[in-house]
Amino acid sequence: MIIRTYQDSDIQPIVSLFYETVHTVNKRDYTQKQLDAWAPQAEVASKLAAWTESLRRHITYIAEIDDVIVGFSDMTPAGHLDRLYVHKEFQGQGIASALVKRLESDARRLGLTEIDTEASITAKPFFQRHGYQMIQPQTLERRGVQLVNYKMIKHLPPDNRDGEAASG
C-alpha cells in the first residue's frame, strides 16, 4: 500500500468509494432511509464539484494498492478530520489506521495539539481504539432524516522526533 497526496484526477474514484462504502459498510448501523439521506445517488454531480474544492484546501491523502484507490482521508489545516473512508472490500487491513496516522503526524508538524472528528456509529470504535475520546453524541438532520454521530477529539502529544526525553 502507498499513501500519497490527493490529485484532482482522484475525485471520481473517491466519490464512488464514498457512496459504495456508506451504502455497504454503514448499513449495519443505519437504516436504508438514513443511508440514502447521508449519501444520495442524485447528489453525485454536485458532490464532485464541492469535494474537489474542499479536498484542495484540506490536507488530503489517498491510499492505493496496485494502482487502485482503496481509501482516502482529509483534515482541515485547523485539525478537523473531515472524511475517512476505506473501500468496502479492503476493510480491516490497516488502511484507515495508516491514513489517520499520516494526518496526525501532519497535525503535530503544524503545531496542533488536538484533532477532532465527527464519527459515525460505525467508525466510533475505530477512533476510540486510536485514542479519540467522545465529547458528545450528536443528532444531525439531512434531507429531513435524523442521523446520529459522535463528536470526538484526540489530544496530540508533541512530536518528539529529536529523540530527547522529556524532563521534569
Side-chain angles (χ1 to χ4, degrees):
M1 174 179 61
I2 63 161
I3 295 180
R4 62 169 176 79
T5 56
Y6 167 79
Q7 301 166 13
D8 285 347
S9 60
D10 298 325
I11 192 63
Q12 182 72 49
I14 67 171
V15 167
S16 295
L17 184 152
F18 161 75
Y19 280 95
E20 291 175 21
T21 300
V22 168
H23 283 277
T24 56
V25 175
N26 296 95
K27 72 179 178 182
R28 68 178 178 247
D29 297 307
Y30 294 91
T31 67
Q32 188 61 51
K33 188 175 180 179
Q34 290 172 318
L35 297 174
D36 290 339
W38 181 356
Q41 288 296 325
E43 190 181 79
V44 172
S46 63
K47 191 165 291 302
L48 290 169
W51 278 22
T52 295
E53 286 306 311
S54 67
L55 293 170
R56 284 178 184 164
R57 289 190 315 269
H58 295 177
I59 300 163
T60 307
Y61 290 108
I62 304 296
E64 286 184 335
I65 296 176
D66 297 329
D67 296 322
V68 174
I69 295 176
V70 296
F72 71 97
S73 189
D74 67 310
M75 176 183 71
T76 67
H80 177 70
L81 196 159
D82 193 9
R83 289 165 279 227
L84 173 63
Y85 291 93
V86 174
H87 190 285
K88 63 184 180 182
E89 294 176 16
F90 291 86
Q91 298 282 312
Q93 297 182 27
I95 296 164
S97 295
L99 287 164
V100 168
K101 184 177 179 181
R102 180 69 67 92
L103 289 175
E104 289 175 358
S105 176
D106 283 354
R108 285 183 189 94
R109 184 180 46 77
L110 291 169
L112 301 176
T113 58
E114 60 188 33
I115 188 168
D116 70 272
T117 194
E118 295 174 5
S120 67
I121 295 168
T122 313
K124 181 183 171 196
F126 166 85
F127 282 106
Q128 288 175 317
R129 285 192 306 273
H130 287 82
Y132 288 72
Q133 298 173 335
M134 185 183 69
I135 302 300
Q136 66 186 30
Q138 305 180 123
T139 302
L140 310 173
E141 188 171 310
R142 295 230 174 123
R143 293 161 196 81
V145 178
Q146 291 190 338
L147 299 157
V148 171
N149 74 9
Y150 302 93
K151 176 79 173 165
M152 301 185 79
I153 194 165
K154 180 175 183 176
H155 298 283
L156 300 172
D159 192 354
N160 198 11
R161 289 189 183 175
D162 60 9
E164 293 179 21
S167 60

